[in-house]
Amino acid sequence: MNSRTTAKIGLSTASVYPESTASAFELAARLGYDGVEVMVGIDPLSTQMDAIQRLIDYHQLPVLAIHAPTLLIMQRVWGTDPWSKLERSAEAAKELGADVVVVHPPFRWQRDYARGFVEGIAELEARTGVVLAVENMYPWRAPGRDLQAYAPSWDPTEQQYAHTTLDLSHASTAEQDCVALAAAMGGTLKHVHLTDGTGSAKDEHLVPGRGTQRAADLLNNLAAQDFRGHIIIEINTRRATSRSEREVDLIESLEFTRKHFVRTVSRRTSFAVTPEGEISELTP
């Protein structure tokens, strides 16, 4: 028989863009998600923790994780100093009751930040008590060559991080297999961005199951390992022509996750022997 694990399935606020953070909470609550990951900087409200707390209270839905504003388009959100951004992200996580901050590795041109990144992440985790899960990225692919945009590496398994995030779309763009990458991450894997891709140079963030990543196999494996982190749906719905079309993608993603994130529990069959020596199965 099948048994559900205790990991929570959340919705990234990035999944409803160009709708707002408030819309993400409303959709997550109505569609049956367990919580929300707040992508800081995707709209102004996402940077205001008092406003986020009101959404938590109104929808009775927790924030599971904070995604630090480390994307290229968010270089000026919460200032320009990268360590200050991470400090503030950790503070926001503690204030809102989230236990994970998702962090991208530095860009190569952020030389000072990159030089002390691995050690700095460990120090900040120890000081704040908040998990900083470094996310796998990918080389920027150009005709004839790959550009190494991240330092010390786009692949977190090449560094000594205590906690990591696995993003399936990023794995697809990097031409990696998500199941093999999860195995390489091992016990450091704390957080999953469940999505999909077709191996394109573009970071596609497809609905899980619509690409070529082994999303179902990954969920099966995580369930079998009793994964206790968060599984966050982070898909691109920007091309949705209506709210109802966006909801279809969010529902499909949630149903896919619930279908495959189950572990099989063996059931011992009991038998009885009659005085005549006949054997019969006892039904519970």
Side-chain angles (χ1 to χ4, degrees), residues 207-228:
V207 169
R210 295 186 188 175
T212 56
Q213 283 290 305
R214 293 194 290 151
D217 291 340
L218 174 69
L219 291 172
N220 291 159
N221 289 352
L222 291 177
Q225 297 162 14
D226 197 22
F227 178 69
R228 299 298 180 97

Side-chain angles (χ1 to χ4, degrees), residues 6-171:
T6 58
K8 296 187 184 305
I9 303 171
L11 178 66
S12 169
T13 57
S15 294
V16 308
Y17 184 83
E19 292 194 56
S20 67
T21 300
S23 294
F25 271 85
E26 185 269 322
L27 284 163
R30 182 159 52 80
L31 299 180
Y33 282 83
D34 297 323
V36 170
E37 175 177 306
V38 175
M39 173 75 81
V40 175
I42 202 164
D43 76 335
L45 187 146
S46 67
T47 67
Q48 303 169 31
M49 295 307 106
D50 55 343
I52 298 295
Q53 186 61 59
R54 288 195 292 272
L55 290 171
I56 293 171
D57 296 340
Y58 181 79
H59 293 287
Q60 291 297 289
L61 198 67
V63 170
L64 303 176
I66 296 291
H67 195 307
T70 51
L71 278 69
L72 189 61
I73 62 173
M74 299 174 186
Q75 292 300 292
R76 295 189 178 277
V77 175
W78 281 354
T80 57
D81 177 65
W83 286 116
S84 295
K85 290 172 179 280
L86 297 191
E87 290 267 6
R88 195 161 176 180
S89 297
E91 291 171 4
K94 294 177 73 172
E95 182 179 343
L96 298 176
D99 58 1
V100 174
V101 171
V102 178
V103 182
H104 287 188
F107 293 107
R108 291 190 70 86
W109 55 84
Q110 296 175 305
R111 291 185 178 86
D112 291 340
Y113 179 42
R115 191 175 298 116
F117 184 70
V118 177
E119 298 77 13
I121 289 292
E123 189 277 330
L124 187 56
E125 278 194 322
R127 179 158 46 83
T128 64
V130 176
V131 167
L132 276 70
V134 181
E135 188 170 0
N136 63 301
M137 298 304 291
Y138 46 85
W140 291 359
R141 286 153 60 184
R145 62 186 181 128
D146 290 343
L147 304 176
Q148 301 305 318
Y150 299 97
S153 173
W154 53 266
D155 185 346
T157 66
E158 296 179 352
Q159 306 299 321
Q160 296 298 313
Y161 298 119
H163 303 103
T164 53
T165 294
L166 170 56
D167 184 299
L168 276 72
S169 180
H170 296 172

